[in-house]
Amino acid sequence: MTDWLTEAVPRGRVAAFRTLVYLFVAADLVVFTPWVRTRVDVPGELYHPLLIGRLLPLPTPTPALVGTIFWALLVLALLAATGRAPRLLGWTVFALYFEWMIVAMSYGKVDHDRIGLLVALAALPTAGRARHGDPTRTEAGGWALRVTQIGVICTYFLAAWAKFRFGGLDWATGSVLARAIIRRGTDLADVIAQVPHLLIVAQFGILAFELLSPVVFVLPQRWRLATVGYFYSFHLVTVATITISFAPHLVAMTSFLPLEKVRPVVWARQLLTHRGRPTAPEDEASPPAALIGPEPAVGPATP
């Protein structure tokens, strides 16, 4: 079990995953969750912190507190994406983002698409230094990626458990997807909804998919990547039909992928080098071959 948890991976993979995760944190603040800053506009008595927020305990959000977290997290996440000071910046980003999520989820709605991302932020500081493109293998980095993968799969499996806990089989046989399409469906979803019984079949399929998701860990590498590709296609369909993106979860799921092979900076540098390479100039002193004509045939020498 220990060997599986600490299966060594290339340091380049850890570096690429780290950069992707921290860049997403910065993007999350300004693209996906900027609404968190508006929470301070509501009365403080509406703030009901999650259990962890009550145990620590954490203060009731104020404009100064939330604004400080926002700007500090934005700057530090961008710095952490460079790979510098991985432990100091990593732990600081995790603590700030964790508080950002507690503020976000303590007003009545808790999203479950951030489990894997939070696990990644907690695990990455333990991976140590890693350089892009470095093929050296690291067990510490392997552990960080593995626990992130476990968090990703727990998101699926525990979602199925919650469906059975609160809805039972009625979740699969009811009108869950129909209500979702009515609330936030797209034109594509309207077309799908017209197919008899298709939504019921889809609900059973979602449950089966979530319950069987842990199988990904016992598959050979080739089939594991194909299965992760199916996971991504599932979320693509979800976005295209009921506009739910699961963006943090999708970022965490890249822990399954060989990210060390994705080198956009190197590719861009090679492209610029290729475009900037001068072409060999033609010899202007040599007339075109068509004007010279064929060389005269050389016959045998006569005595």
Side-chain angles (χ1 to χ4, degrees):
M1 184 65 178
T2 302
D3 293 340
W4 179 77
L5 280 173
T6 60
E7 182 180 0
V9 300
R11 292 184 184 275
R13 183 179 305 181
V14 177
F17 183 67
R18 171 181 287 150
T19 297
L20 179 62
V21 166
Y22 290 133
L23 286 179
F24 176 80
V25 169
D28 188 39
L29 296 175
V30 297
V31 177
F32 298 103
T33 59
W35 47 264
V36 175
R37 301 179 70 183
T38 67
R39 294 300 195 212
V40 297
D41 295 332
V42 302
E45 55 268 20
L46 297 179
Y47 174 71
H48 297 283
L50 303 174
L51 176 61
I52 186 66
R54 299 193 299 272
L55 292 177
L56 287 178
L58 296 173
T60 300
T62 63
L65 174 64
V66 175
T68 300
I69 293 173
F70 175 85
W71 289 110
L73 186 54
L74 183 61
V75 172
L76 293 176
L78 292 174
L79 289 175
T82 67
R84 292 180 174 85
R87 289 181 175 85
L88 176 61
L89 289 176
W91 287 121
T92 305
V93 169
F94 168 70
L96 291 173
Y97 191 77
F98 190 63
E99 170 63 4
W100 183 261
M101 284 294 97
I102 290 176
V103 173
M105 306 302 167
S106 295
Y107 290 86
K109 180 178 182 293
V110 179
D111 297 329
H112 67 287
D113 61 345
R114 297 174 183 272
I115 296 176
L117 182 67
L118 285 169
V119 172
L121 289 173
L124 278 173
T126 69
R129 294 188 177 276
R131 181 171 54 86
H132 288 269
D134 187 353
T136 307
R137 304 184 79 82
T138 166
E139 291 186 351
W143 181 85
L145 294 181
R146 184 68 79 196
V147 294
T148 302
Q149 294 169 2
I150 293 173
V152 168
I153 298 304
C154 283
T155 301
Y156 290 131
F157 189 82
L158 295 178
W161 172 255
K163 293 178 177 65
F164 281 119
R165 179 185 176 188
F166 296 105
L169 283 178
D170 290 340
W171 190 95
T173 59
S175 56
V176 176
L177 289 181
R179 291 199 300 270
I181 290 174
I182 292 173
R183 289 176 53 211
R184 53 191 306 164
T186 63
D187 293 337
L188 175 60
D190 293 337
V191 173
I192 294 175
Q194 296 176 16
V195 180
H197 310 300
L198 182 57
L199 295 183
I200 299 298
V201 173
Q203 288 168 183
F204 274 101
I206 290 172
L207 278 175
F209 154 62
E210 292 174 338
L211 290 172
L212 294 174
S213 59
V215 174
V216 71
F217 289 122
V218 299
L219 295 175
Q221 179 67 12
R222 177 182 176 184
W223 290 104
R224 184 181 306 166
L225 292 177
T227 302
V228 173
Y230 169 76
F231 292 169
Y232 276 105
S233 67
F234 168 79
H235 291 286
L236 179 62
V237 172
T238 302
V239 172
T241 53
I242 54 178
T243 62
I244 298 178
S245 70
F246 273 75
H249 178 82
L250 300 182
V251 171
M253 196 156 59
T254 61
S255 57
F256 283 99
L257 305 179
L259 294 178
E260 70 276 11
K261 298 180 181 180
V262 182
R263 304 288 304 280
V265 175
V266 173
W267 296 343
R269 186 179 300 150
Q270 291 174 345
L271 180 62
L272 292 175
T273 301
H274 178 73
R275 288 185 175 181
R277 185 180 303 160
T279 58
E282 295 183 0
D283 187 358
E284 298 179 357
S286 300
L291 300 179
I292 298 176
E295 295 183 1
V298 179
T302 57

